[in-house]
Amino acid sequence: AQKVTQAQTEISVVEKEDVTLDCVYETRDTTYYLFWYKQPPSGELVFLIRRNSFDEQNEISGRYSWNFQKSTSSFNFTITASQVVDSAVYFCALPVTTYSGAGSYQLTFGKGTKLSVIP
Amino acid sequence: DTGVSQDPRHKITKRGQNVTFRCDPISEHNRLYWYRQTLGQGPEFLTYFQNEAQLEKSRLLSDRFSAERPKGSFSTLEIQRTEQGDSAMYLCASSEGTRVLDTEAFFGQGTRLTVV
C-alpha cells in the first residue's frame, strides 16, 4: 500500500532563511507520480508540482526547488529566501493504484508540515 | 469560471441531523473527487466520479454517506444522522483529460462541518 511520511510536523524560520520540507514515500508501483500541495489558512489546496518517477532531475521554479531521489524514496521541497507569504501547511502526496483504470487523483497525502515564516 | 466552488463554506449541525454539501467543478472537467480532512491531518480520499459514474469509493464512506453527480456536472455529498466524528473539512477537487495524472487537479476551499 502507498504511504507518505512527512516527519516534520511544524517548522519555524525567520524570513529570508532557506527551509527544506522532507517527504518519504512507499509504493509498490514501478512508475508513479508525486505531488506537493500548499494549504494556506484559507483552506484551499494549491498545486505546486507534479513529478513523474521517470524523471529524477531536480526541478526549480523561482524560489522553490524539489529534490527527487528514487534510491531513498524521497521527494524533498526547498524554499529559498523564505517569505511570510510562504506560511502554510505543505503536503506531499502519492496517487493510489486504482482499479477504475486510467489513473485518478485518488491521492494518499502525508500529514503535512506547517511552515511559519517569522518576519 | 474561476475554479472549484463549494457551498456552504461552513455548516454547524446538531448530532443526528442530515447535511448536504454541493460542489461545482471547473466546467470542462469530467472528473470530480471528494476528500475529508480532519484537524492536523492530510486530506483523505472519499470518492471519485468520472462524468456521472461513481468509480471509486473509500472504506471511509460509510452507509451514512452518499454522493451523487447526476448530470456529470455538479456533485452533492450527503451525510445522514451526523455524528461528532463527522466534523471535518470536506474538500472537492476536479480534473480533466484521459491521462488524468498528466493534468492538474484543482481543489475548492472546502466545507467545514461542525457537529455539536
Side-chain angles (χ1 to χ4, degrees):
Chain A
Q2 279 86 345
K3 183 179 179 182
V4 176
T5 302
Q6 295 180 257
Q8 304 149 309
T9 306
E10 292 192 43
I11 299 176
S12 290
V13 298
V14 177
E15 200 171 19
K16 296 184 183 177
E17 285 184 348
D18 299 348
V19 58
T20 295
L21 309 182
D22 297 334
C23 172
V24 174
Y25 62 91
E26 295 176 28
T27 180
R28 294 179 183 174
D29 294 341
T30 53
T31 61
Y32 47 89
Y33 283 84
L34 291 161
F35 296 80
W36 276 93
Y37 281 88
K38 173 182 180 180
Q39 189 173 43
S42 61
E44 183 176 349
L45 279 167
V46 177
F47 169 86
L48 295 178
I49 190 172
R50 173 186 57 250
R51 170 53 56 89
N52 189 309
S53 60
F54 284 135
D55 184 2
E56 291 193 63
Q57 285 189 342
N58 290 336
E59 180 151 345
I60 298 174
S61 176
R63 295 185 298 108
Y64 295 169
S65 62
W66 289 269
N67 183 349
F68 176 36
Q69 293 197 343
K70 215 168 176 178
S71 60
T72 56
S73 297
S74 66
F75 187 41
N76 296 337
F77 173 35
T78 297
I79 302 175
T80 303
S82 59
Q83 300 176 2
V84 173
V85 293
D86 296 327
S87 297
V89 181
Y90 290 86
F91 292 98
C92 182
L94 177 68
V96 174
T97 303
T98 72
Y99 300 99
S100 59
S104 80
Y105 265 92
Q106 183 178 336
L107 299 175
T108 296
F109 284 84
K111 291 189 176 181
T113 297
K114 183 177 181 181
L115 175 64
S116 298
V117 180
I118 304 164
Chain B
D1 194 324
T2 57
V4 178
S5 176
Q6 292 189 245
D7 183 70
R9 293 291 311 281
H10 302 274
K11 178 72 176 179
I12 300 175
T13 190
K14 291 183 178 180
R15 189 175 51 186
Q17 297 294 306
N18 298 343
V19 294
T20 299
F21 311 141
R22 177 179 171 123
C23 171
D24 286 273
I26 294 173
S27 58
E28 62 269 24
H29 286 183
N30 60 340
R31 298 168 192 260
L32 186 147
Y33 308 83
W34 284 99
Y35 282 81
R36 181 176 72 183
Q37 185 179 18
T38 54
L39 203 60
Q41 302 294 316
E44 296 172 296
F45 171 80
L46 292 178
T47 190
Y48 155 54
F49 289 86
Q50 181 177 329
N51 300 311
E52 65 276 7
Q54 189 174 19
L55 297 185
E56 296 283 347
K57 289 173 65 173
S58 163
R59 288 173 295 176
L60 293 175
L61 215 65
S62 74
D63 291 344
R64 296 185 298 106
F65 287 70
S66 62
E68 293 183 344
R69 195 182 183 199
K71 297 182 180 178
S73 56
F74 73 91
S75 175
T76 58
L77 177 68
E78 181 183 16
I79 309 175
Q80 297 182 327
R81 305 182 302 281
T82 52
E83 301 172 356
Q84 286 188 323
D86 297 330
S87 295
M89 175 81 87
Y90 290 84
L91 294 163
C92 177
S94 69
S95 67
E96 63 174 339
T98 53
R99 296 184 62 184
V100 175
L101 294 175
D102 284 348
T103 62
E104 180 180 340
F106 292 84
F107 282 80
Q109 289 186 301
T111 294
R112 182 169 294 285
L113 173 67
T114 302
V115 181
V116 297

